[in-house]
Amino acid sequence: MRGRVARIEAATPPGRDRAVDALRALAILGVVVGHWLVTALVTDSGTVRGASPLTYLPHLTPVSWVFQTLAVFFLVGGQAAAGSWASARRRGVPYGPWVGGRLARLFRPVAAVLVVWALAAGVMLAAGVGEPTVRALGKLVWSPLWFLLVFAALTALTPLVARLHPLWPVVVVLHVDLVRLGLGGPGELGWINVVAGWLAPYCLGALVARGGMCGRTGGWALLLGGGAAAVALVLWAGYPAAMVGVPGGRMSNLDPPSLAAVAFGLAQCGAALLLIGPLRRVLRRPAVWAVVAVVNLSAMTVFLWHQTAMIIVTASASVLSADPLPGLHTLPDDPGWVAARLLWLPVFALALLVCRSAFRGYEQGGRRTGGGSAVVVHTSSPGRRGHTRRA
């Protein structure tokens, strides 16, 4: 292990901003753990359906505030894409090869999960599994992929939006919500927010890549201003307190992104910017940086397969146990379910590690790692010429 840590440290160029990688890793892991905590698979009359503890235990709503970290992912994505595009222009790389390379790295691992689950759905239907069950499981796996389509679109539009001030998309979300919620306008207007809502943190990241918002003043302004706005919108404008969709709720802050979700996301981005300095100091330690680097090498694989890992554990346990297991098969309607689910999280993580080992090659372009002893560190940093070093 010490040798592996040393190789990762040696493969990392001195100018790399390790804190950005740490924020990306924290954002992905936050989404993963959040999904595991607020999603349950319940057997009802022979059919498996999804359920959420937030429906039955609304006092758990603060969980959604901690683990809804997509805004931070878009912040980091905007920073990385803007820096990469600026570097490509300096080197004379045309737009086509640049965007093609970035989108290929994004969608290559997606193809693997889609193929595997298409085959799995066919096998389950042929084996007599009910269509509602197959649809519920498929939705659990495929529904989180929506954000990749938005992220891909914003990546492709980076040359156009990189210099757009993040307040402009916030103004768009404000007006869309005013029309569709305040004035009774058509709900289809919410589709505008699907892009504009995530464009705000993406443009904020591009602003950071240009050297803006680097001081602590900007971070505190975002944290306090965004947080105050989110609280005000929940208390006095009728927005839900949960920052994720809750089955049976009158509306969702996430589908499409609402003004409250955008304000809360900007507050999270402010907190992330304030953490950059402390993270840089902590990540000087080679062992800590090695963990972050390994997570980043398979971040998309972890995101794409985390629901599959939960399904595998849930299905395997139902075969091995004649009775429903607390926190796994039971209705999430009491604190005992929450306590039991926390005990299942390490099992989910173990299953996810197995999935990561099987499918991480798609994210890394089929790159061999020499029997597990080699480490590849991608060293494209905002504003710097990207390259790859191999240890």
Side-chain angles (χ1 to χ4, degrees):
M1 184 61 69
R2 290 179 180 176
R4 186 180 180 87
V5 169
R7 286 191 292 273
I8 293 175
E9 182 70 18
T12 305
R16 184 169 185 81
D17 192 344
R18 303 181 181 193
V20 174
D21 294 293
L23 290 176
R24 182 188 297 109
L26 289 172
I28 289 293
L29 294 178
V31 171
V32 169
V33 176
H35 280 165
W36 284 348
L37 288 175
V38 302
T39 305
L41 290 172
V42 181
T43 302
D44 186 7
S45 301
T47 301
V48 174
R49 62 180 178 88
S52 172
L54 297 179
T55 302
Y56 305 94
L57 305 169
H59 59 275
L60 294 179
T61 295
V63 172
S64 69
W65 307 342
V66 176
F67 294 106
Q68 171 47 291
T69 52
L70 281 177
V72 177
F73 184 87
F74 279 93
L75 169 77
V76 174
Q79 182 179 357
S84 175
W85 172 239
S87 175
R89 292 185 64 187
R90 288 194 299 269
R91 292 180 284 119
V93 177
Y95 171 76
W98 175 81
V99 73
R102 295 192 75 85
L103 294 184
R105 290 194 296 272
L106 182 65
F107 284 113
R108 192 164 42 230
V110 174
V113 73
L114 290 177
V115 169
V116 168
W117 266 97
L119 294 174
V123 170
M124 285 188 287
L125 291 172
V129 178
E131 183 179 340
T133 295
V134 176
R135 185 164 54 249
L137 296 179
K139 182 180 180 181
L140 200 63
V141 173
W142 294 331
S143 58
L145 303 185
W146 65 264
F147 102 90
L148 293 180
L149 298 177
V150 179
F151 189 80
L154 295 184
T155 299
L157 293 173
T158 296
L160 297 178
V161 304
R163 293 192 173 274
L164 182 68
H165 196 281
L167 283 180
W168 285 112
V170 175
V171 171
V172 172
V173 173
L174 168 64
H175 283 82
V176 168
D177 273 15
L178 180 63
V179 173
R180 72 183 180 101
L181 300 177
L183 302 178
E188 290 75 11
L189 283 174
W191 285 102
I192 299 174
N193 284 2
V194 173
V195 176
W198 301 115
L199 183 59
Y202 192 87
C203 289
L204 180 61
L207 178 62
V208 173
R210 299 195 303 270
M213 299 295 292
C214 290
R216 295 183 63 82
T217 301
W220 279 112
L222 284 171
L223 175 59
L224 298 179
V231 170
L233 289 168
V234 169
L235 292 180
W236 297 300
Y239 286 88
M243 291 301 154
V244 297
V246 180
R250 57 181 179 82
M251 70 168 287
S252 169
N253 273 323
L254 200 58
D255 184 22
S258 69
L259 183 61
V262 173
F264 182 79
L266 291 177
Q268 281 189 321
C269 290
L273 293 177
L274 292 172
L275 280 175
I276 285 180
L279 284 173
R280 285 172 179 161
R281 292 190 290 271
V282 171
L283 291 168
R284 292 171 187 166
R285 302 174 182 176
V288 179
W289 164 240
V291 174
V292 172
V294 169
V295 171
N296 270 275
L297 284 173
S298 53
M300 196 55 59
T301 302
V302 168
F303 175 80
L304 291 172
W305 291 95
H306 73 279
Q307 296 286 55
T308 300
M310 185 184 71
I311 292 172
I312 290 172
V313 172
T314 304
S316 300
S318 67
V319 172
L320 298 174
S321 175
D323 299 319
L325 297 177
L328 204 60
H329 308 121
T330 54
L331 198 66
D333 59 354
D334 62 78
W337 183 93
V338 177
R341 175 51 65 104
L342 291 174
L343 297 178
W344 283 108
L345 293 186
V347 185
F348 294 163
L350 182 61
L352 181 55
L353 286 176
V354 174
C355 293
R356 172 188 172 274
S357 299
F359 296 102
R360 64 179 177 178
Y362 294 94
E363 182 171 359
Q364 298 172 17
R367 191 181 287 110
R368 298 295 179 184
T369 58
S373 61
V375 176
V376 177
V377 177
H378 302 279
T379 63
S380 56
S381 298
R384 291 184 173 83
R385 180 172 179 173
H387 60 285
T388 301
R389 295 179 62 185
R390 189 179 184 90

